[in-house]
Every structure is written in structure tokens, then in C-alpha cells.
Amino acid sequence: MRVFVVLFNARTENEGIHSLKVGDRNIVLMFEDEDDATRFGGLLEAQDFPPCSVEGFESEEIEEFCHGAGYEAKHVETGTLVMPPDQNLETTDWDPETRPGGLGSQSSPADMDRDMSQNELDRIRQQLENLL
């Protein structure tokens, strides 16, 4: 099945994939619909993320990447409105300027404050559970 993910610096040596950090877990969203992924990417950019792009992959390829990186992959059905977290990490594992790598070798965990409130964690957890 073809899915769409949000990437930074797509098709470069410094490519990074967006993921949500919930507790100690990194979750990559696999959108069923390209427009939904594009909308999510636009919301990220509105929160001062670097420009991103949406790329299509086979779901097995993303799931394999996630497994190898210790991430989780979550399927997002068509028409599901996913909102980025209100807060972002101040620093990420991915540096858009200097850290080389590729989709299979590195990523940018997504971008939530490590010290977020329990209410915010509960909201995100509920949103992810609704995706299932």
C-alpha cells in the first residue's frame, strides 16, 4: 500500500523524516492520502518548521525504516485531520544544516517539548488512538 510521509530536505544527503515524540516513543505518521499529508506539512511550516515536502513510499518501506530506527509507524486514514502538537522540541536529532544521512539512516524526531503537560500528552494520545 502506498502511503505519504512528511520529509525535510527530501532527496538530499541530509534528508529527515517528521515524527511525533510522545513520551519516549517516536511515531512516524503514514498518511493514506497525499492531500492530508500536505495539509499536515503546511501546519508544521506555520509553526516555523523548515520547508517540508510530502513523498510517497510503500508502507512496508516506512514500517521497515521505523523498526530499524526504533520508531513506531501509525497509519492515518483518508480524511483524518491530524494537528501538530502545540509545542515543539527546542532541539531535534536532525540538523537541517550539517547532519548527513538519508531516510534509512537518520530522522528528525518530531518536535514536541519534552516537558509538556499531562493534558497535552493525553490529547495527543487520544488523537493517536483515534487514528487506530
Side-chain angles (χ1 to χ4, degrees):
M1 173 182 199
R2 190 152 181 84
V3 296
F4 299 89
V5 296
V6 175
L7 298 177
F8 301 100
N9 290 343
R11 294 184 229 113
T12 70
E13 291 183 18
N14 190 26
E15 186 172 70
I17 189 168
H18 180 271
S19 66
L20 299 173
K21 185 162 185 76
V22 178
D24 62 348
R25 301 179 312 160
N26 289 302
I27 301 169
V28 173
L29 299 177
M30 300 186 311
F31 292 88
E32 194 173 87
D33 184 77
E34 185 175 11
D35 289 339
D36 292 341
T38 300
R39 185 174 14 266
F40 184 78
L43 293 170
L44 291 174
E45 288 182 27
Q47 290 184 340
D48 296 326
F49 276 76
C52 60
S53 62
V54 171
E55 297 287 327
F57 295 91
E58 290 301 315
S59 60
E60 294 83 16
E61 185 177 353
I62 298 300
E63 289 167 352
E64 183 179 307
F65 163 75
C66 288
H67 180 73
Y71 288 16
E72 294 180 35
K74 294 290 182 190
H75 186 84
V76 180
E77 292 182 7
T78 299
T80 303
L81 178 62
V82 180
M83 299 295 292
D86 293 333
Q87 297 178 338
N88 302 320
L89 287 175
E90 291 182 23
T91 60
T92 66
D93 289 348
W94 174 75
D95 183 342
E97 300 297 323
T98 61
R99 190 165 174 186
L103 178 62
S105 64
Q106 63 104 34
S107 64
S108 62
D111 302 317
M112 289 175 48
D113 186 17
R114 291 182 181 145
D115 297 323
M116 74 177 73
S117 71
Q118 185 62 42
N119 288 340
E120 181 69 8
L121 281 173
D122 291 341
R123 183 188 71 79
I124 293 167
R125 188 173 292 118
Q126 181 63 43
Q127 188 176 22
L128 289 170
E129 287 173 0
N130 289 340
L131 293 175
L132 300 173

